[in-house]
Structures are given as C-alpha cells and as structure tokens.
Amino acid sequence: MNPIPNALCFGDGLPAAGAPCIVALSADGLRVSPAGDAPLLEQVVLFADMTVEAGGLDHDQLVVTWGTGSSARTLYVKDPALIVAFRRAAPSELTAHLERAAQQVRRARHSHRLLWGSTVGIVVGLGLLLWFGTDLMVEWAVARIPIEWEQKLGETVYQDFLAKETVLKDGPAVGAVQEMTHRLTEKIPNNPYKFQVSVVQSPVVNAFALPGGYVVVFTGLMKKAESGEEVAGVLSHELNHVLQRHGLERIVKMLGLAAVVGIVLGDQQGLTGMAKQLGMELATLKFGRAQETEADVTGIRLLSDARIAPDGMIRFFERLSEKDKERVELFSTHPMSAGRAERLKAELAALPKRDPEPFTFEWKTVQDSLGAPEAKK
Ligand SMILES: [Zn+2]
C-alpha cells in the first residue's frame, strides 16, 4: 500500500495548490518524497539547511523552507505526530522560536476563551454555532467587513506574494493588461475598489484576484491565450469575484466561527492575522459553483459594457480543456463544469449585440515580448 501524503510542497514548477508529498524524519533532517505523480524529486533536507516556523490557521502546522531562487521549496506539515517527533529530533536552535510561538498561541487562545465567555455569552455562541455554516450566515458576516479591512487583508497577502516573484514592470504585456483593466474598470458603476493588476513571470497558466482588488496574471496564461480578448475574459471574471466579495466569503467560511465572532466584536487585527496565515492558500482558493456562475454572468456583462468581445473566456477554456486539463491551474481554481459552460453560452446569446472595439495593442507583439513558448514539462 502506498503511504498517505502527510504534507504539501510548494515551489517553482510545482502546482500552485501544492504537490502532495510524504515526509519522514531521518537521522539528520527530513526525507521528502513525492506522493503519486507529483513533479517532485525525492530528497533529504538537512536540519542545517532549513528554516522552520509555525503556520496554518491555528499555528498548528509546521512550515519548513529551504533552497534559494528557483529551487526554493516550502513544506506544510500538518501531521501532529510528525511535528512532535520533529521537535524532539531537531536541534534546539532551529525550534526555539517555534516553542515561543506555540506558547503565544496557547496564551492567545486562553484570552480568547475569556473574551468569548464574558462578552458574547454561551447562548449567543450556541446560536451562532447552529446558524453558522449556512451561506446566509457567511453573507451576513461578510457584509459587516469594511472595504478597508478587506483591502488591508488582500494587500498584505499580495505584497508577500509579489516579493517572492518576478513582476514585470513595463513592456507590451504590462501595457496590454493595463489597457484591459482600464477598459473594464471604468465601466463598473460605483466601484469601491482601486484595482491593482500585476503581471508575474511564471509558466503557471492562471490568474487570481485577492480580496480588496489585488489581481495577478501569470505570463503562462498570456502565452496560452490566442487573443487579448481571451485574457480580458479571464480578467473580467476575476474582477467580478472581487466585486461580489467571493474571496472574502470563502475566507470567512474557512476561518469559521472565530472569524465571525471577530467580526462581531470588530476585531480587524484578528481577521487580518488569521487571513495572513492562509497566505498562498488565498491565491489558490477554489470558488463554489454558484460563485463561478455569478462571476461568469457579471463578467461577460462587464465585457459587453466595455465593448470587448465577451466570448473570450469560454473560447480559452474550451480550447485548453481538450489537451491541458491536468496542467492548467485555472481549471482547478475555477472548475468548468458542463453546466457552467452552458450557462455561459446562454448568457452570451442573450446579450445585446454590440460592435466590439479592438484593443490598441497587437496580440502577437505582446506574446513575442514574452519569449519562446514554455518547454513541455
Ligand atoms: Zn472563477
């Protein structure tokens, strides 16, 4: 029987959502082996070559990093038995700050319990507990999160993410994405967000939007697209996830009751802190079926208002789905079901016919500026 993966590995060339792997303690470090067909080399990481910190929502995960540049790797270990064994085996200078962090968490939990008992009360608590889990409750909580909190939360994760990536500063690809963003955002009525869009050099075929309006488009996606309209289709869909606060709804769902109580008590620090723990997971959030359809419908309406041919995204998905389903991250974060595709086409057919206005850039020039197509992995 194959061992069950007990960790997720992140890094260049690995899936954006992490590669499942099997981690075991060895005499002087950790042995990391791929699970299934994850594109990961088996290796032993010496204690001397790694740094560790506590991560995850409750600080209950062990986050191990090693390597530099393109060989930098981050490992999230959740298995409590392995974490205990690691703490025993690792040299104390490596884990001393972990023990301090664990103590802080215990203290924070204790004070949260006191706060909970005295200010909210058990009756309200039980009520929330029963109520929580329904989408209604999530929407109720999200509606109480001020835009400024949302921006702070998104910006923190955005800056952390960009600091580790190669961000294109100028050139045809940046110009093209800026033009698309401008054309789309000026057609959003009463837009409370100041959208920021970055183009990141990476073979990953994806784009994502963080709460608060921080958007990343990977060059891998731009290379696969056959027109600016295809990229604009994906972009419009992402902007609409932000406008409908879908990311925030997912976060509140994931963080659960603690986040809701935090919001009720007006605890911005708590929410931002918890969301920061999510880190990269925020960028690889899977949206729900209803959210996908909502972003599709409002996304193509926005395209139509901006006089951009609105069928770009469906063409992009359909063309890629035949050959690239397994390797295209966009599919895993925005699953394209048959129902979703049909709904999209019906919506397209119902749109008023408008003559599209072409972009000012040549798509071929944009793509040429990104260099040769990625070598097949
Ligand atoms: Zn989506």
Side-chain angles (χ1 to χ4, degrees), residues 147 184-195 243 302:
I147 296 270
L184 289 168
T185 52
E186 69 174 359
K187 294 293 175 192
I188 301 170
N190 310 318
N191 173 17
Y193 297 99
K194 202 178 164 300
F195 284 100
L243 290 168
L302 180 60

mmCIF file of all heavy atoms in Angstrom, residues 147 184-195 243 302:
data_model
loop_
_atom_site.group_PDB
_atom_site.id
_atom_site.type_symbol
_atom_site.label_atom_id
_atom_site.label_comp_id
_atom_site.label_asym_id
_atom_site.label_seq_id
_atom_site.Cartn_x
_atom_site.Cartn_y
_atom_site.Cartn_z
ATOM 1 N N ILE A 147 -14.692 47.667 3.666
ATOM 2 C CA ILE A 147 -13.808 47.559 2.495
ATOM 3 C C ILE A 147 -12.342 47.761 2.911
ATOM 4 O O ILE A 147 -11.452 47.085 2.402
ATOM 5 C CB ILE A 147 -14.196 48.624 1.441
ATOM 6 C CG1 ILE A 147 -15.612 48.356 0.917
ATOM 7 C CG2 ILE A 147 -13.181 48.686 0.309
ATOM 8 C CD1 ILE A 147 -15.703 47.457 -0.277
ATOM 9 N N LEU A 184 -12.113 47.839 -18.563
ATOM 10 C CA LEU A 184 -13.128 47.157 -17.754
ATOM 11 C C LEU A 184 -13.546 47.998 -16.541
ATOM 12 O O LEU A 184 -14.730 48.190 -16.296
ATOM 13 C CB LEU A 184 -12.593 45.796 -17.278
ATOM 14 C CG LEU A 184 -12.440 44.726 -18.356
ATOM 15 C CD1 LEU A 184 -11.628 43.550 -17.829
ATOM 16 C CD2 LEU A 184 -13.811 44.233 -18.827
ATOM 17 N N THR A 185 -12.548 48.500 -15.791
ATOM 18 C CA THR A 185 -12.898 49.132 -14.516
ATOM 19 C C THR A 185 -13.658 50.435 -14.707
ATOM 20 O O THR A 185 -14.457 50.807 -13.858
ATOM 21 C CB THR A 185 -11.649 49.395 -13.637
ATOM 22 O OG1 THR A 185 -10.692 50.095 -14.423
ATOM 23 C CG2 THR A 185 -11.056 48.103 -13.141
ATOM 24 N N GLU A 186 -13.449 51.117 -15.826
ATOM 25 C CA GLU A 186 -14.187 52.388 -15.977
ATOM 26 C C GLU A 186 -15.668 52.145 -16.262
ATOM 27 O O GLU A 186 -16.466 53.065 -16.200
ATOM 28 C CB GLU A 186 -13.543 53.282 -17.057
ATOM 29 C CG GLU A 186 -13.673 52.768 -18.463
ATOM 30 C CD GLU A 186 -13.154 53.780 -19.486
ATOM 31 O OE1 GLU A 186 -12.722 54.865 -19.081
ATOM 32 O OE2 GLU A 186 -13.189 53.451 -20.681
ATOM 33 N N LYS A 187 -16.031 50.890 -16.524
ATOM 34 C CA LYS A 187 -17.449 50.574 -16.747
ATOM 35 C C LYS A 187 -18.120 49.979 -15.503
ATOM 36 O O LYS A 187 -19.263 49.541 -15.561
ATOM 37 C CB LYS A 187 -17.583 49.577 -17.914
ATOM 38 C CG LYS A 187 -17.165 50.145 -19.245
ATOM 39 C CD LYS A 187 -18.113 51.246 -19.693
ATOM 40 C CE LYS A 187 -17.594 51.889 -20.973
ATOM 41 N NZ LYS A 187 -18.311 53.136 -21.276
ATOM 42 N N ILE A 188 -17.389 49.911 -14.395
ATOM 43 C CA ILE A 188 -18.002 49.380 -13.165
ATOM 44 C C ILE A 188 -18.687 50.533 -12.439
ATOM 45 O O ILE A 188 -18.019 51.475 -12.027
ATOM 46 C CB ILE A 188 -16.929 48.742 -12.241
ATOM 47 C CG1 ILE A 188 -16.199 47.611 -12.969
ATOM 48 C CG2 ILE A 188 -17.563 48.249 -10.946
ATOM 49 C CD1 ILE A 188 -14.985 47.091 -12.225
ATOM 50 N N PRO A 189 -20.019 50.463 -12.287
ATOM 51 C CA PRO A 189 -20.692 51.565 -11.601
ATOM 52 C C PRO A 189 -20.397 51.544 -10.096
ATOM 53 O O PRO A 189 -20.329 50.470 -9.504
ATOM 54 C CB PRO A 189 -22.187 51.296 -11.873
ATOM 55 C CG PRO A 189 -22.278 49.880 -12.328
ATOM 56 C CD PRO A 189 -20.918 49.402 -12.731
ATOM 57 N N ASN A 190 -20.196 52.677 -9.492
ATOM 58 C CA ASN A 190 -19.934 52.818 -8.043
ATOM 59 C C ASN A 190 -18.868 51.853 -7.550
ATOM 60 O O ASN A 190 -19.056 51.168 -6.549
ATOM 61 C CB ASN A 190 -21.203 52.578 -7.221
ATOM 62 C CG ASN A 190 -22.365 53.394 -7.725
ATOM 63 O OD1 ASN A 190 -22.200 54.575 -8.056
ATOM 64 N ND2 ASN A 190 -23.531 52.777 -7.831
ATOM 65 N N ASN A 191 -17.778 51.787 -8.255
ATOM 66 C CA ASN A 191 -16.732 50.830 -7.900
ATOM 67 C C ASN A 191 -15.990 51.263 -6.627
ATOM 68 O O ASN A 191 -15.332 52.290 -6.621
ATOM 69 C CB ASN A 191 -15.747 50.741 -9.078
ATOM 70 C CG ASN A 191 -14.539 49.901 -8.758
ATOM 71 O OD1 ASN A 191 -14.539 49.130 -7.812
ATOM 72 N ND2 ASN A 191 -13.507 50.057 -9.567
ATOM 73 N N PRO A 192 -16.094 50.483 -5.534
ATOM 74 C CA PRO A 192 -15.413 50.896 -4.309
ATOM 75 C C PRO A 192 -13.937 50.486 -4.288
ATOM 76 O O PRO A 192 -13.211 50.848 -3.367
ATOM 77 C CB PRO A 192 -16.183 50.144 -3.215
ATOM 78 C CG PRO A 192 -16.681 48.919 -3.886
ATOM 79 C CD PRO A 192 -16.854 49.237 -5.352
ATOM 80 N N TYR A 193 -13.507 49.702 -5.272
ATOM 81 C CA TYR A 193 -12.144 49.163 -5.247
ATOM 82 C C TYR A 193 -11.230 49.941 -6.189
ATOM 83 O O TYR A 193 -11.647 50.427 -7.228
ATOM 84 C CB TYR A 193 -12.134 47.692 -5.680
ATOM 85 C CG TYR A 193 -12.919 46.800 -4.761
ATOM 86 C CD1 TYR A 193 -14.207 46.416 -5.073
ATOM 87 C CD2 TYR A 193 -12.361 46.372 -3.556
ATOM 88 C CE1 TYR A 193 -14.943 45.604 -4.222
ATOM 89 C CE2 TYR A 193 -13.088 45.558 -2.703
ATOM 90 C CZ TYR A 193 -14.372 45.181 -3.037
ATOM 91 O OH TYR A 193 -15.082 44.388 -2.181
ATOM 92 N N LYS A 194 -9.946 49.999 -5.772
ATOM 93 C CA LYS A 194 -8.936 50.538 -6.645
ATOM 94 C C LYS A 194 -8.133 49.323 -7.101
ATOM 95 O O LYS A 194 -7.265 48.848 -6.377
ATOM 96 C CB LYS A 194 -8.045 51.508 -5.856
ATOM 97 C CG LYS A 194 -7.328 52.486 -6.732
ATOM 98 C CD LYS A 194 -6.495 53.445 -5.887
ATOM 99 C CE LYS A 194 -5.485 54.154 -6.751
ATOM 100 N NZ LYS A 194 -4.542 53.251 -7.433
ATOM 101 N N PHE A 195 -8.497 48.788 -8.250
ATOM 102 C CA PHE A 195 -7.883 47.525 -8.673
ATOM 103 C C PHE A 195 -6.413 47.701 -9.007
ATOM 104 O O PHE A 195 -6.028 48.679 -9.639
ATOM 105 C CB PHE A 195 -8.616 46.966 -9.892
ATOM 106 C CG PHE A 195 -9.929 46.336 -9.550
ATOM 107 C CD1 PHE A 195 -11.121 47.011 -9.739
ATOM 108 C CD2 PHE A 195 -9.975 45.062 -9.003
ATOM 109 C CE1 PHE A 195 -12.340 46.434 -9.407
ATOM 110 C CE2 PHE A 195 -11.186 44.465 -8.671
ATOM 111 C CZ PHE A 195 -12.373 45.167 -8.874
ATOM 112 N N LEU A 243 -15.621 42.027 -6.901
ATOM 113 C CA LEU A 243 -16.771 42.915 -6.711
ATOM 114 C C LEU A 243 -17.864 42.236 -5.888
ATOM 115 O O LEU A 243 -18.563 42.878 -5.124
ATOM 116 C CB LEU A 243 -17.320 43.365 -8.071
ATOM 117 C CG LEU A 243 -16.402 44.320 -8.838
ATOM 118 C CD1 LEU A 243 -16.872 44.473 -10.277
ATOM 119 C CD2 LEU A 243 -16.357 45.685 -8.157
ATOM 120 N N LEU A 302 -19.929 42.799 -18.036
ATOM 121 C CA LEU A 302 -18.952 43.892 -17.945
ATOM 122 C C LEU A 302 -18.145 44.009 -19.239
ATOM 123 O O LEU A 302 -17.896 45.102 -19.746
ATOM 124 C CB LEU A 302 -18.024 43.658 -16.741
ATOM 125 C CG LEU A 302 -16.937 44.695 -16.500
ATOM 126 C CD1 LEU A 302 -17.537 46.083 -16.258
ATOM 127 C CD2 LEU A 302 -16.069 44.300 -15.299
#
